[in-house]
Amino acid sequence: MAKRKASPPAAVRCRLGGAGASAVGWALRVATSIVAWTLLLHLFTFLGIPRPTLPVARPFCLGGRNSSAAAEAVAAAGEAAHLAPPALRPRRLYKSNGYLLVSCNGGLNQMRAAICDMVTVARYLNLTMVIPELDKQSFWADPSDFGDIFDVNHFIDSLRDEVKIVKELPQKFSEKVPLSMQPISWSSEKYYLRQILPLVRKHKVVRFSKTDSRLANNGLPLKLQKLRCHVNYNALRFTPSIEALGNKMVSVLRRTGSFIVLHLRYEMDMLAFSGCTHGCSDEETEELTRMRYAYPWWKEKEIDSDKKRLEGLCPLTPGETTLVLKALGFPRDTRIYIASGEIYGGEKRLAVLKTEFPNIVRKEMLLSDDELRPFQKHSTQMAALDYLVSVASDVFIPSNDGNMAKVVEGHRRFTGFHKTIQLDRKRLVELIDLFEDQELSWEEFSVAVKELHMGRMSQPTRRRVIPGQPKEEDYFYANPHECLGPAKKRRERLKHIEI
């Protein structure tokens, strides 16, 4: 059989094709074409015109001695095009009815949820929104601005197809005192349409002085509910420095396998505000009471701590939390990340927890002093670091159902129903008291705790709706079920983690 004649090498074929241009010239032309094509795609996107299809790739010759260098130049040009920022969403064009200023109140997660609500209100009323102002008067006295915590440009760009957001009020309005008001809590979109929109049209600028829980959990149009999710899970991205440190901590924790996050809300402000003093000394109780009276906007002053605890309205103490973790079956070597500010009572109050679970870490143990120094006097930025680790953990366990516990739970549901153990504090304190009074054996106590929480692991479910009692129904940001897809897919996405 005659042998098939070998084909000439590619370089020879190129020369046979008559390509006489230099490698540098070809590389320059190719790189220029890639850049021009990228700009063209951006232009088409901005004008809302469907993108043209890419031309079919065809063989081409680079010729000359420096063909490898030319190929590297083309590859570098392609890499640069690949790394170019993604095309912006087409801007939504609308006639603005006025400007909305919002002054958020509370901690990081209370403000986060409020920002989502206010973007939704601005979109519904066709308003121009100014970058939100953050609370600087709360217990933490954090001077952080929006741009110190969140990526401002990403926030604006990712929402440009929904609402126009500006960094500051135009100069012509700077000397005017806007109408400042507090919207009615848990209001529907109809309240904003009928009561707020006429005020904005009249005054051109309206400031909401408080923004927490000003939009209903339920009964809103589906597109508004989905917008709240888009803001929360896509637009509100932390600054690159916060994201980098958060990712670093998660990476360090992952090196040793799985880990859980314990959100231990046993902090001075929480105990003073709630009046929960179980386990505190007389001196500590007096200190917490003085603090409660020192803040005039904390309306409840005389509080029966024992009664409140039995109603399940107090955060578990570190000692109570230790019993619960053991009863749930977490082994002694479980890697536990403590997400919290300064624990009231310091290290002595954590002694029991550390004795039973010695593999405990905090951000101060995972990051250097130099890395943490820029954040240390900014409690909201520190909370953002805890937020990132909490969302990424294998199991999240909050000792209290505050804003962080709820918002993190919802975020974990959104990313695949990762396990969040929602502690039933009312039943737990009853069981703990029975065990400590020796009315229950350890085995009985452990079985009871496990059975109590079998249905409280953030499985797919719909929010509980209680007409006329919005404070008592399930919180939208803890379970944004409208954004989680069909029930069948939710069940398929449910992630089971053995404990």
Side-chain angles (χ1 to χ4, degrees):
M1 181 181 294
K3 291 185 179 180
R4 180 179 296 177
K5 188 175 181 179
S7 299
V12 175
R13 292 201 304 272
C14 287
R15 286 196 293 272
L16 291 174
S22 69
V24 175
W26 273 102
L28 181 61
R29 270 183 275 176
V30 171
T32 303
S33 298
I34 291 174
V35 172
W37 185 257
T38 302
L39 292 175
L40 183 63
L41 292 180
H42 281 272
L43 179 62
F44 273 81
T45 300
F46 179 77
L47 296 176
I49 302 173
R51 291 188 180 192
T53 57
L54 288 169
V56 178
R58 293 182 174 85
F60 61 93
C61 305
L62 294 175
R65 298 179 184 178
N66 298 323
S67 60
S68 61
E72 291 177 2
V74 173
E79 180 73 10
H82 177 71
L83 295 177
L88 294 176
R89 296 169 180 265
R91 190 186 301 277
R92 177 172 171 259
L93 301 178
Y94 62 94
K95 181 180 179 181
S96 175
N97 288 315
Y99 288 87
L100 176 62
L101 296 170
V102 296
S103 182
C104 301
N105 57 297
L108 171 67
N109 294 285
Q110 187 171 336
M111 293 191 291
R112 183 186 185 107
I115 292 167
C116 298
D117 286 353
M118 292 302 103
V119 171
T120 303
V121 169
R123 169 64 174 83
Y124 183 67
L125 299 183
N126 283 338
L127 305 181
T128 299
M129 185 176 184
V130 181
I131 289 292
E133 301 171 358
L134 303 189
D135 191 346
K136 296 178 173 62
Q137 306 299 320
S138 63
F139 164 80
W140 304 279
D142 188 336
S144 298
D145 290 319
F146 185 94
D148 297 319
I149 301 171
F150 300 107
D151 186 328
V152 175
N153 291 331
H154 175 76
F155 180 69
I156 294 173
D157 291 343
S158 62
L159 291 168
R160 57 186 271 127
D161 61 338
E162 296 287 358
V163 62
K164 182 178 180 180
I165 301 174
V166 297
K167 295 182 179 179
E168 57 186 12
L169 204 60
Q171 187 66 31
K172 63 180 180 179
F173 294 112
S174 61
E175 296 181 359
K176 293 184 179 180
V177 178
L179 171 67
S180 185
M181 61 177 295
Q182 296 179 23
I184 297 174
S185 298
W186 311 114
S187 295
S188 72
E189 82 284 4
K190 295 181 180 62
Y191 161 79
Y192 287 96
L193 182 65
R194 296 167 183 170
Q195 303 295 323
I196 301 301
L197 183 56
L199 295 175
V200 183
R201 283 176 169 162
K202 177 181 178 181
H203 297 278
K204 302 303 179 185
V205 181
V206 169
R207 177 195 297 274
F208 290 163
S209 57
K210 283 191 177 182
T211 53
D212 63 319
S213 304
R214 305 293 157 169
L215 196 57
N217 290 312
N218 304 292
L220 299 181
L222 181 60
K223 64 181 181 180
L224 295 186
Q225 298 288 55
K226 289 193 172 184
L227 177 56
R228 295 167 94 176
C229 292
H230 173 53
V231 181
N232 197 16
Y233 307 124
N234 297 320
L236 283 177
R237 178 192 294 170
F238 293 122
T239 62
S241 59
I242 292 175
E243 292 275 348
L245 283 189
N247 291 336
K248 178 179 179 179
M249 288 194 290
V250 172
S251 178
V252 172
L253 288 165
R254 284 272 176 242
R255 290 174 193 168
T256 56
S258 61
F259 70 96
I260 74 170
V261 167
L262 179 60
H263 179 43
L264 205 55
R265 193 66 169 94
Y266 201 81
E267 299 157 331
M268 187 176 186
D269 67 298
M270 171 56 70
L271 300 179
F273 173 76
S274 64
C276 297
T277 57
H278 178 74
C280 295
S281 65
D282 292 342
E283 292 77 10
E284 289 173 330
T285 300
E286 291 175 7
E287 180 182 40
L288 294 171
T289 303
R290 285 195 302 270
M291 181 180 178
R292 184 163 65 253
Y293 277 89
Y295 286 86
W297 53 88
W298 290 356
K299 298 179 181 179
E300 193 175 10
K301 302 300 182 183
E302 294 294 328
I303 299 175
D304 186 333
S305 176
D306 292 335
K307 179 181 178 182
K308 200 161 190 178
R309 174 176 175 267
L310 292 175
E311 292 174 346
L313 301 177
C314 290
L316 296 181
T317 69
E320 291 172 334
T321 304
T322 303
L323 287 174
V324 173
L325 292 178
K326 290 180 63 179
L328 287 171
F330 286 97
R332 177 177 170 80
D333 62 351
T334 300
R335 184 84 155 168
I336 300 177
Y337 176 89
I338 301 292
S340 73
E342 184 177 352
I343 299 298
Y344 188 61
E347 292 300 311
K348 68 177 183 180
R349 191 146 269 135
L350 288 173
V352 174
L353 179 61
K354 287 185 173 181
T355 298
E356 297 295 338
F357 296 96
N359 200 6
I360 285 179
V361 294
R362 304 184 69 169
K363 47 186 167 289
E364 293 80 4
M365 301 167 64
L366 300 175
L367 301 174
S368 68
D369 291 341
D370 289 340
E371 289 172 319
L372 271 179
R373 190 171 293 113
F375 302 91
Q376 284 178 335
K377 294 185 179 180
H378 301 84
S379 59
T380 308
Q381 296 179 48
M382 295 283 270
L385 295 175
D386 282 340
Y387 184 94
L388 289 169
V389 179
S390 298
V391 170
S393 64
D394 295 287
V395 183
F396 176 64
I397 309 174
S399 67
N400 187 53
D401 63 349
N403 290 293
M404 178 167 175
K406 293 174 179 176
V407 177
V408 168
E409 178 190 351
H411 201 147
R412 291 169 62 80
R413 285 177 179 270
F414 184 80
T415 55
F417 291 96
H418 302 296
K419 183 172 290 186
T420 298
I421 302 181
Q422 307 148 322
L423 299 179
D424 186 338
R425 295 185 310 282
K426 183 175 181 180
R427 295 289 306 280
L428 277 175
V429 295
E430 295 175 1
L431 292 172
I432 289 171
D433 289 347
L434 289 171
F435 171 70
E436 291 183 339
D437 291 339
Q438 298 183 349
E439 295 184 38
L440 284 178
S441 68
W442 174 255
E443 290 73 17
E444 291 170 328
F445 174 73
S446 180
V447 168
V449 171
K450 287 187 177 76
E451 290 179 349
L452 179 61
H453 292 92
M454 287 181 64
R456 300 178 64 88
M457 302 285 183
S458 64
Q459 294 95 332
T461 183
R462 297 184 70 84
R463 286 192 310 278
R464 179 183 51 164
V465 180
I466 307 178
Q469 300 183 56
K471 289 185 179 181
E472 304 302 322
E473 63 187 9
D474 292 342
Y475 189 44
F476 174 82
Y477 292 103
N479 183 16
H481 69 247
E482 296 92 335
C483 308
L484 305 181
K488 181 178 179 180
K489 290 185 177 180
R490 289 195 306 237
R491 287 193 295 269
E492 291 172 353
R493 292 168 60 199
L494 181 59
K495 181 179 180 180
H496 296 281
I497 298 174
E498 297 298 328
I499 60 172

